[in-house]
Amino acid sequence: MRPVSETLLSLLWLLPEAMSAWALYRLWRSFLPLRPRWRWLLWGTLLVCSSVIIWVGDHNLLFALPPFFAVGLWCSRGCWSGRLAVTAIFFSMMMAVNALSDTYLGMLGLYALPRLSRPVLYGGVYLLLRRRLPAAPPELPPRLWRLILGLAALPLFALVAVVLLTFRRYDSVLVEQLARNQGLVVLPFVLLTALTLLLAVVILADHERLERAGQLARLRELYYQGVRQQEAQVRTLRHDLRNHLTVLDGLLDRGNADAAR
C-alpha cells in the first residue's frame, strides 16, 4: 500500500487541474445548456485537456482536438453552430494557455510553474468575465451563431498553425527559435481573441434580449391600443342605444306607438 503522505501529495498535485476544470466548467455552462446526465463527462474532459502538455511544435494538439470537440458537442444542447462555436472558442483559449505555460514558463526550468500557472490564468479569466456572464445560456438566432463560428475559426487556425507547422522540424535550432518567437506573438493573440469572442457572445445576447423586450413592449402597446379602441366603440354604442331608448320611451309615454314601432 502507498504511504498516506504520498497519497496526500498526489491529491495536492491534482488540485491545480481540478481548480482549472472548475473555472472552465463554470464558464462553459454560462454559454451553453448542458445535458444533465453528461455533465461529469464534460468536467472530466476539461480536467484532462486543461492539464495536457502542449509545446510549440508538438503534436499533442492533434490528439486533444477530436475528443474535445466530440465531448463538447455531445454534452451541450442547442443550435449546432452555437455548440461548435463555443467549443472552438474554449479549445483555442485552453490550448493557447497550455502552450504559453508549457513552452515559455517551462523554459525557466521549474516543472511545477506551468501546472500552477494554469489555474491562476483560468481563474483570472473567470473572474474577468464573471460580472458579465449571463444568468442563463444566451439564446442567439442561428445567423448570429454562424457569425461567431466563422470568427472562432480565426484563433483556432492560428493556434493550429503556430503549434503544428514546425512539427518534426526541430532538428534545426533556427527553426525552433523562429517557432517560439512566432508563438510568443500569436498565442497571446489567440487567447485575447477567444476572450473577445466570449464577450461578443454576451453583448449579442444582451442586445437580443433588449430587442425582444422592445418587441414585446410594442406588441403590448398595440394590444392596449386595440382594447382602448374597443372600449371607446362600446361606449359609443351604449350612448347611441341610450338615446334610442330615451326616444322610444318618450314616444310610448305620449301614446304614439306607431312612431315607436
Side-chain angles (χ1 to χ4, degrees):
M1 296 179 62
R2 300 177 61 184
V4 178
S5 58
E6 293 185 6
T7 303
L8 293 177
L9 184 62
S10 300
L11 292 177
L12 290 176
W13 197 243
L14 290 175
L15 184 60
E17 281 78 6
M19 295 172 61
S20 299
W22 178 84
L24 291 169
Y25 177 80
R26 298 272 296 184
L27 281 174
W28 189 294
R29 72 176 188 178
S30 298
F31 288 93
L32 285 178
L34 301 177
R35 300 177 185 269
R37 296 182 179 180
W38 298 98
R39 292 179 179 180
W40 61 270
L41 179 60
L42 177 63
W43 189 88
T45 302
L46 294 174
L47 175 66
V48 173
C49 290
S50 63
S51 60
V52 68
I53 298 177
I54 301 293
W55 289 81
V56 174
D58 193 8
H59 63 285
N60 284 346
L61 187 70
L62 289 177
F63 297 109
L65 190 148
F68 187 88
F69 271 77
V71 172
L73 294 175
W74 175 257
C75 295
S76 304
R77 295 182 299 177
C79 176
W80 70 268
S81 55
R83 289 184 289 164
L84 191 58
V86 172
T87 303
I89 293 172
F90 270 80
F91 183 81
S92 300
M93 178 181 65
M94 293 172 58
M95 295 301 109
V97 169
N98 290 3
L100 285 170
S101 61
D102 290 332
T103 303
Y104 302 101
L105 295 181
M107 293 173 61
L108 301 178
L110 299 176
Y111 176 71
L113 187 58
R115 297 172 63 94
L116 297 177
S117 64
R118 293 178 185 179
V120 175
L121 292 173
Y122 291 132
V125 170
Y126 174 73
L127 293 177
L128 178 65
L129 299 177
R130 184 181 61 176
R131 296 183 180 274
R132 299 298 306 273
L133 291 177
E139 297 180 1
L140 297 179
R143 58 182 178 82
L144 290 181
W145 276 127
R146 287 193 292 268
L147 174 62
I148 296 296
L149 177 59
L151 296 175
L154 300 177
L156 180 61
F157 291 156
L159 172 71
V160 172
V162 75
V163 173
L164 295 180
L165 284 183
T166 55
F167 177 52
R168 296 182 182 278
R169 295 174 183 250
Y170 266 22
D171 53 344
S172 172
V173 177
L174 293 178
V175 172
E176 179 180 356
Q177 187 65 34
L178 178 61
R180 289 182 176 177
N181 292 338
Q182 289 179 342
L184 193 59
V185 175
V186 175
L187 292 176
F189 165 77
V190 171
L191 178 59
L192 291 177
T193 305
L195 295 178
T196 303
L197 288 175
L198 292 179
L199 285 175
V201 172
V202 174
I203 293 172
L204 288 175
D206 292 340
H207 177 73
E208 287 293 317
R209 179 177 54 80
L210 292 176
E211 185 175 353
R212 286 194 296 267
Q215 292 177 352
L216 181 60
R218 288 192 293 270
L219 290 175
R220 287 177 177 175
E221 182 62 26
L222 291 175
Y223 171 76
Y224 291 141
Q225 288 180 0
V227 171
R228 286 194 293 266
Q229 290 177 358
Q230 291 179 357
E231 290 179 350
Q233 291 176 357
V234 169
R235 285 195 297 268
T236 301
L237 291 175
R238 287 178 177 176
H239 181 268
D240 294 341
L241 181 60
R242 189 179 296 111
N243 290 337
H244 289 308
L245 292 176
T246 301
V247 172
L248 290 174
D249 186 63
L251 292 174
L252 292 175
D253 287 343
R254 293 193 296 271
N256 195 351
D258 294 334
R261 294 191 187 97

